Amino acid sequence: MNDTSTTAREVLQDRLANILGPGGFLSDDESRTLHSADLFGAGGRVAAVIRPASIEELSAAVAEIAHAGLALMPRGGGLTYVQGYVSQTDGAIAVDVRRMNRILEIDEQDLLITVEAGVTWMQIYDALKPRGLRLPFFGTFSGRGATVGGGLSNGALFLGTARYGTSAEIVLGMQVVLADGSILHTGQTAIQTARRSFTRTFGPDTTGLFTHDAGALGIKGVVTLRMMRAPAHTDYLSFGFQDRDAAVEALCEIGRSELAEDCYMMDPDKTRAALSAPSDWVKDAKTLMKVVSQEKGLLRSLRAGAQLAMAGRDFIEDGCYSLHMVLAGRTREAVEGDMALARAIIAPSGGKELPNSIPKAGRADPYSQLDAVIGATGDRWVALNAKVAHSDAKPLVDAVESLIARHQSELDARGVVVSRLLTVIGNHVFSYEPVFNWHDTWLPGHHAAISAQVKATVAEPVANPEARSLVIEVRSEIVELFASFGAQSNQIGRTYHYADILRPEARALLQGIKHVIDPENRVNPGALGLGA
């Protein structure tokens, strides 16, 4: 709006306020500040925030903004740290879809659920659980606040990922608002006579174009996802390794064997952090009760509760790489068979079976409180991630660990702790995620997410520009290393290389699509490296 006259700006504001209704158009300083930054840093200051409550409102508002020629910055739950919705210049309009939070249809006959893009993964989970249904991939740890639209734009993964893949594998169709305000249907409802999005590959996969696009091609409004009947039985395994290479190979082999819904490994620092958070006995008791309630049968329930209570938080040795699995199936016998096979795979690798407290408690309460945007002592954190084939797992880990080791003394001196989370995706992908923690002043997104209870007990650290600069430096080097491996990364945003490392033919195709649907480059310009 800074590029328009005062009169034109006021006219546009009035029109947007009329379209969006009370609470739908924000131009106060606090809202603009919040929507001008993510959980890593601030960018250009947005001129205003629109908060549509339906795809019709979104379409109408975008059409008005198109006449003014202003950039649009789509935003889901606002919980990312890759500058994906942060403008590089002042004057853009932030598009906050969190008021588009209705579940539009649950079709139990066709196992389809249609939702607005601002619905959270937790909303869907809670709505489907009483019906005995679930999404195959059913969200991220941040699914209490993370939205479906944001997850599809950023390659969301974790819960169910080891067996069913990522958010991209469960979406069948979308309604996407383009730069001019028009609504594009993808998947089967692109066909004029189709009534529902029950498949996405009748002809070229137009739905796939808008998965993992960082919101650079359009703004997701309505999404149809496939459902499944929830597994009848679930169990858990944990193992400890003293040797990192053995642990990585065991993780990959479990992935190749397709045994688990979740399969992940924590390095010693990550394991310690998972177990050493300040004890909240009210929360611990609630988790214990959830563990008990999810078990089938009275004896199993009592045994599960007793095992979790007895394990406590002090059962893992120093230097332990801990590997955790969630195994699920239609029968108890099937799950026990998978557990036996998992133990047989782990045994030659030297893994020691541990109490299964971490995966069991994680599934009992799968969506973290949003307070988790900071660490237990108020520290900030940001993560990086790379996905490679299993054969590249060890070379990737070795290369990144060597890079981190070169900076270790400086990281220690500035109080930066690097931990690692390793996972598998389906039976063919290995994921490596280094996480940087350091004490530093909080950003607006942290303040918005952290509860009053935590703010009352955890002090905000003072500004720490030296540690922050070091994190930026090491992070940038790791991003370059990931690119040299040809790795995939989720949450591309403006952090990872993408358009600039595509082969010329692929880049020309993507740029051509962008030009057709956004000829003035107004939808999230610069994301994916497009139209920066």
Side-chain angles (χ1 to χ4, degrees):
M1 290 184 191
N2 295 340
D3 297 329
T4 63
S5 67
T6 301
T7 301
R9 181 168 64 246
E10 291 173 349
V11 169
L12 178 59
Q13 289 178 348
D14 289 344
R15 287 178 176 170
L16 291 174
N18 184 57
I19 290 168
L20 300 168
F25 178 82
L26 306 176
S27 58
D28 60 283
D29 284 343
E30 183 177 356
S31 297
R32 292 171 63 199
T33 298
L34 173 63
H35 289 78
S36 298
D38 66 1
L39 295 178
F40 189 59
R45 187 167 177 79
V46 300
V49 182
I50 63 169
R51 303 179 68 239
S54 68
I55 192 170
E56 292 79 16
E57 287 187 7
L58 174 61
S59 173
V62 168
E64 285 291 341
I65 294 167
H67 295 314
L70 300 175
L72 295 156
M73 308 303 296
R75 184 179 188 271
L79 299 171
T80 64
Y81 34 76
V82 292
Q83 303 283 279
Y85 50 80
V86 177
S87 178
Q88 296 167 301
T89 58
D90 293 341
I93 303 294
V95 183
D96 184 342
V97 301
R98 287 178 296 172
R99 288 209 308 163
M100 296 173 59
N101 58 8
R102 293 176 298 166
I103 295 175
L104 301 176
E105 182 183 20
I106 298 174
D107 182 345
E108 296 192 40
Q109 182 176 7
D110 294 322
L111 290 178
L112 304 173
I113 180 170
T114 300
V115 303
E116 292 179 322
V119 165
T120 66
W121 298 105
M122 182 174 172
Q123 274 182 266
I124 296 176
Y125 181 81
D126 288 345
L128 297 184
K129 188 174 182 179
R131 300 169 183 250
L133 299 171
R134 203 193 78 190
L135 299 179
F137 158 78
F138 59 103
T140 63
F141 283 139
S142 58
R144 187 178 295 267
T147 64
V148 170
L152 288 168
S153 294
N154 290 296
L157 57 88
F158 198 81
L159 296 169
T161 284
R163 176 165 289 168
Y164 299 107
T166 71
S167 57
E169 278 71 57
I170 65 166
V171 59
L172 297 173
M174 305 184 200
Q175 295 176 41
V176 181
V177 175
L178 302 181
D180 62 357
S182 60
I183 299 175
L184 172 71
H185 286 249
T186 76
Q188 196 64 20
T189 57
I191 305 301
Q192 296 181 39
T193 54
R195 294 183 294 112
R196 56 179 57 84
S197 291
F198 62 92
T199 184
R200 60 187 258 188
T201 53
F202 180 42
D205 181 9
T206 53
T207 298
L209 281 174
F210 295 90
T211 60
H212 211 176
D213 70 333
L217 299 181
I219 305 171
K220 295 165 185 65
V222 174
V223 173
T224 297
L225 308 168
R226 66 184 182 93
M227 302 186 296
M228 58 180 272
R229 292 192 173 97
H233 298 273
T234 303
D235 216 324
Y236 313 87
L237 287 172
S238 293
F239 297 89
F241 297 80
Q242 290 297 318
D243 181 77
R244 185 188 72 204
D245 290 348
V248 169
E249 177 53 32
L251 177 72
C252 291
E253 183 57 26
I254 293 294
R256 286 187 287 259
S257 301
E258 302 180 332
L259 294 175
E261 285 200 341
D262 302 343
C263 185
Y264 53 97
M265 188 181 89
M266 301 175 177
D267 75 345
D269 284 325
K270 196 75 174 174
T271 302
R272 192 178 305 113
L275 294 171
S276 63
S279 182
D280 179 343
W281 292 111
V282 173
K283 180 181 177 183
D284 287 351
K286 289 181 178 178
T287 299
L288 179 61
M289 291 308 297
K290 288 181 179 179
V291 167
V292 170
S293 67
Q294 71 183 3
E295 293 291 338
K296 302 291 192 296
L298 177 60
L299 290 178
R300 285 191 60 83
S301 298
L302 294 175
R303 186 162 59 246
Q307 288 172 345
L308 190 68
M310 291 173 64
R313 300 181 179 211
D314 301 316
F315 57 82
I316 291 185
E317 301 171 357
D318 289 341
C320 175
Y321 294 84
S322 62
L323 189 155
H324 309 281
M325 289 177 245
V326 178
L327 305 98
R330 300 189 187 282
T331 66
R332 166 53 46 189
E333 292 75 18
V335 174
E336 289 178 348
D338 285 344
M339 293 174 71
L341 183 53
R343 290 184 174 108
I345 290 172
I346 296 296
S349 303
K352 174 185 175 183
E353 189 160 353
L354 303 172
N356 58 14
S357 302
I358 288 177
K360 184 175 288 186
R363 271 298 186 96
D365 194 8
Y367 305 107
S368 303
Q369 295 292 329
L370 297 186
D371 296 321
V373 296
I374 58 170
T377 61
D379 46 306
R380 280 169 55 179
W381 63 267
V382 295
L384 289 171
N385 64 85
K387 279 75 176 158
V388 295
H390 290 306
S391 57
D392 282 329
K394 185 180 185 304
L396 174 71
V397 172
D398 288 347
V400 180
E401 293 303 325
S402 177
L403 188 158
I404 292 172
R406 294 198 298 271
H407 293 277
Q408 194 61 60
S409 60
E410 193 174 6
L411 290 166
D412 292 341
R414 297 190 183 180
V416 179
V417 175
V418 185
S419 58
R420 294 87 171 159
L421 177 66
L422 289 68
T423 61
V424 289
I425 304 171
N427 64 1
H428 61 293
V429 179
F430 167 84
S431 174
Y432 175 85
E433 182 170 301
V435 183
F436 297 84
N437 289 67
W438 78 102
H439 288 87
D440 199 355
T441 186
W442 298 337
L443 292 163
H446 295 108
H447 284 283
I450 300 168
S451 67
Q453 179 183 359
V454 168
K455 288 180 180 177
T457 57
V458 178
E460 179 178 359
V462 298
N464 191 351
E466 294 82 8
R468 190 187 320 141
S469 295
L470 179 60
V471 170
I472 292 171
E473 176 187 347
V474 178
R475 194 171 180 247
S476 297
E477 291 183 22
I478 293 176
V479 166
E480 297 299 324
L481 180 59
F482 287 171
S484 73
F485 270 82
Q488 176 197 351
S489 297
N490 59 311
Q491 294 189 17
I492 299 170
R494 293 172 176 79
T495 294
Y496 299 95
H497 291 283
Y498 183 67
D500 62 320
I501 59 174
L502 290 176
R503 297 180 191 273
E505 299 82 3
R507 183 166 59 249
L509 174 62
L510 184 62
Q511 289 172 334
I513 293 169
K514 172 74 168 174
H515 181 72
V516 168
I517 60 179
D518 184 15
E520 297 176 349
N521 188 35
R522 293 188 305 100
V523 179
N524 211 358
L528 300 183
L530 292 174

